[in-house]
Amino acid sequence: VRLEGKLPEGFIRIEVGPGEEAQVDFGYSGEMVDPRTGEVRRSWAFVMTLAYSRHQYVEFVFDQRVETWLLCHQHAFESFGGVPRKVVLDNLKAGIVQACFDEPQVQRAYRDCAEHYGFLIAPCRVREPQEKGKVESGVHYVARNFLAGREPAALTANNVKVRAWIEQIAGLRDHGTTHWQPLVQFKAIEQASLLALPATAFEIATWKQ
């Protein structure tokens, strides 16, 4: 009996112009020390990757609550000095209340945040993770480069160190896909294409999931 081999599914990499798109996700980042209590806790890396330059913002957190999600967006935009026109995300609960093919239901607080900063929310289709492949690659890179071999340390200390890592290592590497240095490309081209930050930051209340 001969079995027909299944061909691997192919995907076309989609590139966008400067300032057009960011992709965002959480990735598990191991255990870190809570500086307030000294307790060792599970942590996650919030990663936002600009799709054109591949420059990224990384912040370690202890939860994926709505207010944490919103605050990390605020910090990312402030770090970039501007706002991308579209943010691509998976259907995680902090951003999407209910995923569906036609019209995903967006978390109300996240919709308000998008209106404040002027970006379009673009959820991935259900079970189509390749649509945010740039940030997934960024999450994996943080795990295998910055986090690899590290002993649990204070989350606040790791957040200081990861910013230096982005400036000195991640941002200056030869990117495996684009073959340019993400931080250099960001400063030279993409940063000027971002939407201007609003005069006031988004007011983050205590939101319940």
Side-chain angles (χ1 to χ4, degrees), residues 59-79:
E59 182 173 347
F60 299 113
V61 296
F62 284 129
D63 62 71
Q64 299 182 30
R65 295 181 298 170
V66 174
E67 55 265 42
T68 301
W69 173 251
L70 300 176
L71 190 61
C72 286
H73 275 68
Q74 178 180 308
H75 292 166
F77 297 151
E78 291 172 351
S79 174

Side-chain angles (χ1 to χ4, degrees), residues 13-200:
R13 188 176 74 245
I14 299 174
E15 298 296 348
V16 298
E20 290 298 321
E21 178 184 303
Q23 298 182 6
V24 64
D25 203 1
F26 280 116
Y28 179 62
S29 54
E31 294 183 334
M32 295 188 187
V33 178
D34 187 335
R36 297 172 301 175
T37 64
E39 179 186 1
V40 176
R41 301 173 55 187
R42 287 164 58 88
S43 68
W44 283 264
F46 170 93
V47 180
M48 181 179 287
T49 300
L50 294 172
Y52 173 75
S53 66
R54 305 308 205 270
H55 178 51
Q56 59 187 1
Y57 174 81
V58 180
E59 182 173 347
F60 299 113
V61 296
F62 284 129
D63 62 71
Q64 299 182 30
R65 295 181 298 170
V66 174
E67 55 265 42
T68 301
W69 173 251
L70 300 176
L71 190 61
C72 286
H73 275 68
Q74 178 180 308
H75 292 166
F77 297 151
E78 291 172 351
S79 174
F80 295 150
V83 182
R85 287 163 177 78
K86 177 172 68 174
V87 175
V88 177
L89 67 153
D90 206 346
N91 292 289
L92 40 77
K93 291 182 179 179
I96 304 298
V97 176
Q98 182 175 354
C100 68
F101 183 80
D102 294 321
E103 191 173 349
Q105 185 179 350
V106 177
Q107 172 70 248
R108 179 171 62 87
Y110 192 41
R111 185 181 64 243
D112 292 346
C113 177
E115 291 177 356
H116 178 84
Y117 286 105
F119 66 87
L120 174 70
I121 299 172
C124 293
R125 290 173 294 175
V126 178
R127 293 185 294 277
E128 296 289 346
Q130 74 279 358
E131 294 184 354
K132 60 176 181 61
K134 297 177 181 67
V135 72
E136 289 203 345
S137 295
V139 169
H140 294 323
Y141 181 63
V142 171
R144 69 176 183 266
N145 189 293
F146 178 78
L147 292 170
R150 286 180 181 260
E151 295 294 326
L155 180 136
T156 48
N158 277 338
N159 276 329
V160 172
K161 291 176 182 176
V162 79
R163 286 192 286 271
W165 173 81
I166 290 171
E167 292 282 332
Q168 300 166 14
I169 297 177
L172 301 181
R173 77 191 190 278
D174 177 30
H175 191 278
T177 300
T178 63
H179 297 293
W180 61 45
Q181 295 171 299
L183 180 59
V184 174
Q185 195 76 356
F186 167 73
K187 289 183 175 180
I189 297 177
E190 185 158 35
Q191 188 171 34
S193 300
L194 297 172
L195 299 173
L197 287 167
T200 58

